[in-house]
Amino acid sequence: MVGSEKAVRTNLMSGVLWLSLSTMLVKLIGLIYKIPMLSYLGSVGMGYFHSAYELYALFCVIATAGLPVALSVLISAALARGNEEEAERVYRVSRKVFLMIGIVGTALMVVLAESFCRLIRSEKAYACVVAIAPTVFFICVSSAYRGYFQGHQRMAPTAVSQLLEAVGKLVFGLLFASRAYSLGLETHRVAAAAGWGLTLGSAFSTLYLFIEKRRTTDQSASASVPDLGTDRGKIGKSLARLAIPMTLGASAVSFTKLIDMTMILRRLQAIGYSEAGANEAYGSYTALALSVFGLIPSLVNSVALPLIPLLASAIEQGDRARQARLIRSSYRLTALFAVPSAFGVAAFSAPVLELLFGRDQRAVELAAPLLSMLGISVFLSCMITATNAVLHAYRSVNRPILSMLAGAGIKILSAYLLIGHPAIGIRGAPISTFLCDLTVVTLNLRFSLKSCRVDGLGELLWRPLGASAVAVGIPYLIYRLLLREGSFSPMLSPLLLGLAVLLYLPMSCLFGAVGEEELTALPKGEALCKILTRAKLLRTKKQC
């Protein structure tokens, strides 16, 4: 029993590590991408690009948010019953559905592009929308492969495909944008060229997943799996029951982002901004503040994706104790990632943006206070991902919809009132995000506790809170001291952040935020545990 529990923890941590490493690299590449891209497009051009990207994100969520998760849940449940043939049939049916959705989604995005750009009063974003539209098709096809691998608890193909997509976006996006810029094309045409780079990067990612699936599948065994019409109907219904509510819940978030974008552009113009000025504010907020803000919540997908098939398997086997341990571990890992990150984002928003985007001082000045305000929402956004994953594993797919709709309503109302107030303006956007996320997390936690009781959730928060306050607080005091003396340079930002990271591990052990459970599941974790024990940073052997 001990061995099996250790294997479960190791599988969870292995998946987390694979996806965390991939996501960190993807986000790093994304930041590298935005730095030169800002020089080609400026804040106004980045506003055009992100207007197109938000429409693509909505179509992408509609096409892929529920189906890959539903696919991984059904496959992992079939494998838990020892039925490999059923798992293969689920994949085959899903692949056809994903392909159809990808074709329809791309066509709709092209058809609706002109109307969408008129709606948000940013008609020059049209060419960029059309350039990005084919990405919906490639993402849909990729999602079928990713759901298959995740259902088999294999996270490496998803991680590698994400990395290939980011590298393709970086290389081709910058290459195309640079060429368009050198030809003297208008800003919105340069943004469209960057959009074609995103499409080509997605195509390369899809090609890799296709090759990996062909390479790892036993063709003779696959060919012997019957594909009966009755099976297709049954599998299709199972997918729909899980995927449609998940998609609606995820779409509510993306839809509110579209509404948020529309409100920012329209409400800012209502209080006196020009179209270019509104796009400049929106571009600074999305390209700078939201880009850094989104780094950590995306990492929590690295916890959520491995959790879902493992938890679904425990649910299928009726093991309540194991379910509670998995949920507790996922919430603990989420807090360990998110709490110090929230402190860091709030404390170091200005120097980090200065370091990354210092060539556009106007954009940094606009974005820095907005990013600092988003700091507390980092933790809440991460908890949304973690709690959604738990509810999806229990197939309580309607409850996240209720949470998301309640949060969306709060966000729409607060954004409308706050952004349209001359004294608040664009600062209303991060405030409305906080109110929305707080609502969703509160409801999700109540719903998840009804599915499985997990004790001591407050303890999972306050321990990382204390460790983070010390680990981030010391570098922040150094930063403020250097700033006051006039000797601070943005180049020192990585050193201060590195110091916070170095302080966090011993502080988290000292405060009891990290347990032996987590350490021993890491590569070379037992050796690390012994070192920390000798250093008297581990308070007990069972719990740090």
Side-chain angles (χ1 to χ4, degrees), residues 366-508:
L366 286 171
L370 303 177
L371 177 58
S372 186
M373 295 171 69
L374 283 168
I376 191 170
S377 296
V378 168
F379 171 73
L380 296 174
S381 184
C382 290
M383 284 302 298
I384 289 174
T385 302
T387 52
N388 276 347
V390 170
L391 292 172
H392 290 161
Y394 279 98
R395 306 193 186 187
S396 299
V397 289
N398 292 320
R399 288 174 171 176
I401 296 177
L402 298 177
S403 302
M404 293 296 182
L405 290 176
I410 295 293
K411 182 177 180 66
I412 292 168
L413 178 62
S414 58
Y416 182 85
L417 295 174
L418 294 172
I419 296 172
H421 194 291
I424 300 175
I426 189 67
R427 287 176 294 175
I431 297 172
S432 66
T433 295
F434 165 74
L435 296 174
C436 170
D437 290 354
L438 181 62
T439 302
V440 175
V441 169
T442 302
L443 292 174
N444 270 4
L445 281 174
R446 291 192 64 181
F447 291 145
S448 64
L449 288 174
K450 290 181 180 179
S451 297
C452 183
R453 186 72 188 177
V454 181
D455 297 323
L457 292 182
E459 182 184 356
L460 298 181
L461 175 61
W462 77 258
R463 292 181 185 275
L465 198 66
S468 301
V470 176
V472 178
I474 292 173
Y476 180 71
L477 289 175
I478 296 173
Y479 160 64
R480 297 299 301 179
L481 179 62
L482 292 173
L483 197 63
R484 189 176 64 183
E485 297 295 327
S487 55
F488 177 76
S489 166
M491 298 303 294
L492 295 175
S493 299
L495 295 177
L496 292 174
L497 292 173
L499 176 60
V501 172
L502 289 174
L503 287 172
Y504 184 61
L505 178 59
M507 288 299 104
S508 60

Side-chain angles (χ1 to χ4, degrees), residues 21-350:
L21 178 60
S22 169
T23 304
M24 284 189 288
L25 290 173
V26 165
K27 291 300 179 179
L28 178 61
I29 291 169
L31 282 177
I32 294 172
Y33 168 81
K34 285 187 173 73
I35 294 169
M37 192 62 71
L38 187 61
S39 65
Y40 293 135
L41 300 180
S43 296
V44 176
M46 292 300 282
Y48 296 140
F49 182 85
H50 280 277
S51 295
Y53 191 87
E54 290 300 340
L55 179 61
Y56 150 73
L58 176 61
F59 275 93
C60 192
V61 165
I62 292 173
T64 65
L67 283 167
V69 177
L71 176 56
S72 70
V73 168
L74 292 177
I75 287 178
S76 62
L79 294 175
R81 294 190 295 269
N83 196 335
E84 180 71 41
E85 290 186 355
E86 182 185 347
E88 186 65 29
R89 283 196 295 271
V90 169
Y91 162 71
R92 286 186 173 190
V93 172
S94 302
R95 181 180 58 189
K96 295 174 184 177
V97 173
F98 280 56
L99 184 64
M100 185 185 306
I101 292 175
I103 294 171
V104 173
T106 295
L108 280 175
M109 188 167 171
V110 173
V111 170
L112 297 176
E114 188 173 356
S115 299
F116 167 75
C117 293
R118 281 201 301 266
L119 174 66
I120 65 171
R121 296 185 181 177
S122 185
E123 297 185 20
K124 289 186 177 180
Y126 172 79
C128 197
V129 173
V130 173
I132 291 177
T135 308
V136 175
F137 170 78
F138 293 116
I139 290 296
C140 284
V141 177
S142 295
S143 293
Y145 293 121
R146 289 172 180 173
Y148 173 84
F149 287 124
Q150 289 161 18
H152 283 77
Q153 299 179 20
R154 291 187 56 202
M155 302 299 154
T158 295
V160 174
S161 67
Q162 290 173 346
L163 191 58
L164 285 174
E165 184 179 333
V167 171
K169 172 185 171 182
L170 172 70
V171 173
F172 294 110
L174 290 179
L175 182 65
F176 294 166
S178 175
R179 179 62 177 165
Y181 183 80
S182 65
L183 291 174
L185 299 183
E186 294 178 84
T187 300
H188 66 282
R189 296 292 179 187
V190 180
W196 284 111
L198 175 62
T199 295
L200 199 52
S202 300
F204 271 93
S205 172
T206 304
L207 179 61
Y208 159 75
L209 287 167
F210 170 77
I211 294 172
E212 182 65 16
K213 176 65 170 67
R214 291 290 298 270
R215 187 182 69 83
T216 57
T217 300
D218 181 4
Q219 295 299 316
S220 60
S222 178
S224 67
V225 176
D227 192 8
L228 303 177
T230 55
D231 286 332
R232 285 199 297 269
K234 183 179 177 181
I235 292 168
K237 289 177 181 178
S238 297
L239 276 172
R241 280 197 299 267
L242 289 174
I244 291 175
M246 291 180 189
T247 300
L248 290 174
S251 298
V253 176
S254 291
F255 188 63
T256 55
K257 286 183 179 179
L258 274 180
I259 295 174
D260 199 12
M261 174 187 65
T262 305
M263 281 189 186
I264 290 174
L265 293 173
R266 294 176 72 94
R267 297 293 282 165
L268 287 180
Q269 290 178 55
I271 59 174
Y273 282 66
S274 65
E275 180 182 340
N279 267 288
E280 180 186 31
Y282 175 69
S284 299
Y285 178 59
T286 54
L288 278 68
L290 287 185
S291 294
V292 176
F293 165 76
L295 287 173
I296 306 305
S298 62
L299 280 175
V300 176
N301 281 325
S302 308
V303 178
L305 287 178
L307 169 72
I308 291 174
L310 288 171
L311 185 53
S313 178
I315 295 166
E316 186 70 26
Q317 295 167 356
D319 191 339
R320 301 288 293 183
R322 183 178 161 210
Q323 294 167 35
R325 283 192 292 270
L326 281 169
I327 295 171
R328 185 178 174 85
S329 292
S330 69
Y331 287 168
R332 174 181 284 179
L333 287 171
T334 298
L336 287 172
F337 273 124
V339 174
S341 302
F343 273 81
V345 167
F348 294 105
S349 60

